[in-house]
Amino acid sequence: MPLPAQTATEIYDAAFRAGLRPDPVLTVSEWADRYRRLSGKSSAEPGPWRTDRTPYLREIMDSLSPTSPVERVVVMKGAQLGFTEAGNNWVGYVIHKSPGPMMVVQPTVELAKRNSKQRIDPLIEESEALRELVKPARSRDSGNTVLSKEFPGGVLVMTGANSAVGLRSMAVRYLFLDEVDAYPGDVDGEGDPINLAFARTRTFSRRKVFMVSTPLITGWSRIEAAYQESDQRRYWVPCPHCGEYQVLRFERLRWPKGEPQKAAYYCIACEQPIFNHQKNTMLARGEWRPEAAGDGRTRGYHLSSLYSPVGWYSWERVAEDWEKAQGDVERLKSFVNLVLGESWQERGEAPDWELLYARREDYAIGTAPQGGLFLTAGADVQRDRIEVEVVAWGRGKESWSVDYRVLMGDTARPEVWRQLSALLDEEFPHASGLRLPIRVLCVDSGFNPHLTYEWVQQHPQASWGPAGARAPSPKTAVAIKGTARTDRLVLGASPVDSSRRRGTRLWTLGTPVAKSELYSRLRLTPPTEESGEPFPAGYCHFPRYEEEYFRQLTAESLVKGHWVVAPNRRNEALDCRVYARAAASIYGIDRFTEKHWRELEQLLSTPVTETEAPASPPIRPVRRRMVSSNWMKR
Ligand SMILES: [Zn+2]
């Protein structure tokens, strides 16, 4: 009877048809969740792949799926985010579900070989579906070598960007360019390796290009240039406290200096701390949002290591690595590239000290020129000295450095503090012939809080509190502490927590705000003498100080939102200037109207002495009106 044979054929046919029936169209992430296994050899978390572990990779992988209209996917990223495996998932998907010619380019042929052995071989061996399709390189007639893997319907070729021969080897539908910022600028005299590789995709209308890299140098970074041409997506995640969506930025990560284990992320909306362990829920609810129009076919993704999932690279480690990098340009550079996923600006943002030194002016040190209408001072406390700058302020916050003094002496002993008191009692000659007192002196409490409070207690103090504004006397002393807050320059005063020092308040300063403001003012250009134009608002004048002063004033630069001191540079002059600026703010300069300036000018043009003028500057909470309209008049 032919029945068994027929049955056998039918069974065989049915099985054959079932085997060929396409799966419902899978995306790359769905494929990975179903078929991908991570090898214990190459992964810290071996076992089945879960896209939920790195939710930000889902959209990126799915843009590489045949169902997506996206042609080019550009990823600029930090380390420890899982992008290598995302690329491998795409390779696996192509072999299994969407075969065609594919090329994977590493910076060098050597790296391509290593990647093949350490990443691609385990990818194929660990996933049953792939193992059946790619014969091992060692079997005869497999058609496979370290750098070439054949599979039904396609071939995977791996090469290095340093090999023009490799890049020109064949036409490809799928092109994976890995770590492009490490590619040579020119390969074998044939031009840019990326252009060479792109040229191989021309014959395919439904091609896909995946370009991934950690960026290196600003202006030279290929990945940054490609990202800028894209639709520039960033990953927005919700605050666990208030739900506000935001992009994670390094400047919102804060910790007490020297204690990176206390690092927390501060929400941009509610300012509440978010801890590393809360990150995964944020990532799960995240979404990619474009910031530019792009060309419609290219999607760009930027992701820093701040997004690294819980258990991989924590915010505490970010803080620790940042601290370790201080004073070491190479480590800072690595931090910016590998952690922030941003390119390194070779030149810092500090103004050149030489320029400032070259345009010093001839007014006498210790005197205030005509435009300077009131004085403040800022004092920086060190172990063996106190450094103080006296600054005159005028309209438009134009400023003149009046004097810079270094008071030598052990700050644990009273002598040097007595010198500071004597300085606060001095009056400085003004171009009008009058003498000006220091209105407010801010002294840094960071080095020795208790001694600072004790000293401040001996002098008139500024305060604002529930009782309303109290007009301080001239020669007001203020204890101040710098913070990393970026929202305001002077943040307010809180009572010092000690019954013995009742009435002493500690003022806090948003140091980054003050430094950024100062550096933008130091970059202002003075008018030419012929033009006869006034100096721009905010311009900073200096007398003939020594070089060292200008070196210190420009010692820091803003690196990705954090201020860092250049190696082998001191920065006391910068700190003093920032405290003197805070003192001007406490005196009221940020709220001055025309009326206030005119009153200050009248005071200096009328032949009165300081003792006759009941000068009571406005120290007030921001939201309140000035106490009186004639606070400067007799
Ligand atoms: Zn919040």
Side-chain angles (χ1 to χ4, degrees), residues 239 241-244 246 267 269-272:
C239 167
H241 307 295
C242 72
E244 178 84 6
Q246 54 205 293
C267 170
C270 70
E271 284 283 348
Q272 288 200 70

Side-chain angles (χ1 to χ4, degrees), residues 198-213:
F198 273 154
R200 312 313 299 157
T201 67
R202 261 185 220 131
T203 49
F204 290 90
S205 57
R206 300 200 54 188
R207 62 196 162 185
K208 293 272 183 191
V209 178
F210 186 30
M211 194 194 271
V212 184
S213 194

Side-chain angles (χ1 to χ4, degrees), residues 103 105 159 161 164 166-168 170-172 174-177 183 187 192-202 207 209:
M103 184 186 277
V105 184
T159 188
L167 294 173
R168 277 194 278 98
M170 63 170 193
V172 292
Y174 306 112
L175 180 60
F176 178 6
L177 301 166
Y183 288 11
V187 51
D192 184 84
I194 291 183
N195 289 340
L196 229 57
F198 273 154
R200 312 313 299 157
T201 67
R202 261 185 220 131
R207 62 196 162 185
V209 178

